[in-house]
Amino acid sequence: MSDQAGRLREIIRNNEEHDSSLTHQIKVYSIISGKGGVGKTNLTVNLAIKLQQMGKRVLLLDADVGMSNAHLVLGIEVKKNLLDLIENNLDLEDIIANGPYGVDLISGGEDLFLLEKLDKEKQEEIIRNLAELGNYDVLLIDNGAGINKHSLTFTILADEIILITTPEPTSITDAYRILKAISLYELKNRVKVVINQVPDIQTGKMSFNKLLKTSEIFLNVELEDMGYIFNDIRVNKSVMEQVPIVIKYPDALASLNIGQISKSILEDKNYTNNISNLKQFKNRLIRLFG
Ligand SMILES: Nc1ncnc2c1ncn2[C@@H]1O[C@H](COP(=O)(O)OP(=O)(O)OP(=O)(O)O)[C@@H](O)[C@H]1O
Ligand SMILES: [Mg+2]
């Protein structure tokens, strides 16, 4: 009897290993912030371009559902979005826009009530399909500001979280609140941190250390300093011109900073060995919603 049970377990394990939908690997980064307007979308779009330039096949998911604007920063028009997935029964592949600079985009659309329509099953289905998209190496998820149980789904499914904040005390405090939630719900034990709009390196370091010290005392998350992005007027200019800064002003300080961050992502020793498969995605979902 116990022999039979052992064999059964073996068969299940083998099947799981051979089911490519469960083991296909795509590295997923979710870019989040506490406070709004701190630079998530600009970082995500420009990071996508830099990673693509470094040889990765990148898909960008604008999960700022209802308020999506990554396409504006990327400078493209999108005809379809997540809403079409639900209302017009389209497949994920049908709503991927082939953006410029080799970056593909799925837009979250402009329907403010879309999140309500995106029930748990639908979100799971999207994630399952994303994990099965074989032609991408990296998925970057741009999120709305803050987190709530609903919008968290996309975030917790990521392999890595990139938390972005400015040096402003209000932004740092909100970033800490997010870290607290991540720690409390045991969503991740490691978070990458980017300090944006710094006037100088010293301020960047101080801001990171502030977060680090408090987290070390009170939370159970390890913070990783991913670097700083200078406050650079050319970011605003590139947004106005709807050409991403790394394309329009590749030599601007902010572009160089983002280039450095992309490099550190690819050089990260965890880049390849911390990739989740669908099974792990699902386990995280069950922990939160189950
Ligand atoms: N490094 C920077 N230097 C100067 N300005 C910046 C920088 N990063 C972002 N900004 C400015 O901040 C604005 C907001 O950036 P962005 O839209 O990327 O933020 P966000 O976090 O995605 O906002 P939301 O929470 O609304 O989605 C940009 O339009 C840009 O003008
Ligand atoms: Mg944004």
Side-chain angles (χ1 to χ4, degrees):
M1 202 49 190
S2 70
D3 234 27
Q4 257 182 342
R7 255 207 312 279
L8 197 60
R9 266 200 300 276
E10 181 96 340
I11 289 168
I12 292 171
R13 204 177 313 128
N14 282 345
N15 276 345
E16 282 182 347
E17 273 164 17
H18 290 115
D19 184 345
S20 62
S21 72
L22 287 173
T23 52
H24 170 72
Q25 298 194 326
I26 178 169
K27 184 84 179 181
V28 185
Y29 293 89
S30 195
I31 291 82
I32 62 169
S33 74
K35 196 169 179 292
V38 296
K40 290 177 297 297
T41 303
N42 272 277
L43 176 63
T44 313
V45 166
N46 286 289
L47 208 53
I49 295 168
K50 286 311 282 186
L51 289 172
Q52 198 279 338
Q53 288 174 348
M54 291 172 180
K56 297 291 167 195
R57 295 164 303 171
V58 187
L59 175 65
L60 203 161
L61 170 65
D62 190 342
D64 194 353
V65 176
M67 298 276 263
S68 67
N69 55 15
H71 62 289
L72 297 177
V73 176
L74 204 50
I76 58 166
E77 230 181 276
V78 281
K79 298 208 163 58
K80 298 193 170 65
N81 58 57
L82 286 178
L83 185 65
D84 294 291
L85 206 69
I86 303 164
E87 300 209 321
N88 302 328
N89 248 343
L90 293 187
D91 288 334
L92 204 55
E93 272 127 344
D94 301 328
I95 62 163
I96 294 177
N98 297 121
Y101 327 112
V103 172
D104 288 351
L105 172 76
I106 295 177
S107 172
E110 288 165 12
D111 181 344
L112 283 171
F113 298 105
L114 181 58
L115 261 187
E116 321 266 311
K117 295 174 193 161
L118 263 184
D119 56 19
K120 190 180 139 194
E121 281 72 32
K122 203 75 209 174
Q123 289 192 334
E124 271 193 35
E125 191 188 317
I126 292 172
I127 298 298
R128 195 179 320 121
N129 291 336
L130 281 171
E132 286 167 9
L133 287 175
N135 37 349
Y136 296 102
D137 305 309
V138 180
L139 168 66
L140 296 181
I141 305 178
D142 180 23
N143 293 277
I147 45 173
N148 57 53
K149 202 168 168 172
H150 216 55
S151 64
L152 247 181
T153 319
F154 289 121
T155 297
I156 54 167
L157 294 165
D159 304 301
E160 308 265 359
I161 292 181
I162 301 177
L163 175 67
I164 175 164
T165 174
T166 70
E168 285 182 353
T170 43
S171 180
I172 297 272
T173 305
D174 286 355
Y176 179 73
R177 287 178 179 140
I178 296 288
L179 287 171
K180 199 168 157 188
I182 290 170
S183 173
L184 191 69
Y185 291 105
E186 297 177 15
L187 303 179
K188 283 279 173 294
N189 46 24
R190 206 162 48 95
V191 172
K192 295 173 182 289
V193 177
V194 171
I195 315 286
N196 190 24
Q197 303 189 34
V198 302
D200 49 59
I201 295 283
Q202 199 53 28
T203 309
K205 275 193 180 133
M206 271 168 49
S207 305
F208 177 79
N209 285 336
K210 222 187 274 179
L211 268 181
L212 183 68
K213 269 196 198 131
T214 335
S215 305
E216 273 176 351
I217 299 170
F218 299 107
L219 308 180
N220 199 17
V221 268
E222 200 183 301
L223 299 195
E224 189 187 322
D225 187 351
M226 274 197 95
Y228 322 116
I229 305 172
F230 274 88
N231 190 11
D232 192 330
I233 186 75
R234 280 162 293 189
V235 178
N236 313 68
K237 277 188 165 175
S238 70
V239 173
M240 292 302 290
E241 290 156 16
Q242 290 189 266
V243 180
I245 186 168
V246 295
I247 298 290
K248 183 80 186 178
Y249 306 105
D251 297 325
L253 263 181
S255 296
L256 300 177
N257 296 148
I258 294 168
Q260 204 54 45
I261 291 168
S262 325
K263 241 177 99 190
S264 77
I265 281 183
L266 297 187
E267 285 167 1
D268 183 354
K269 61 182 184 325
N270 289 307
Y271 179 79
T272 44
N273 61 17
N274 191 28
I275 295 184
S276 302
N277 57 44
L278 186 60
K279 233 172 92 193
Q280 290 160 310
F281 279 173
K282 278 197 153 170
N283 289 343
R284 271 180 233 152
L285 262 183
I286 291 161
R287 263 219 322 274
L288 194 79
F289 294 100

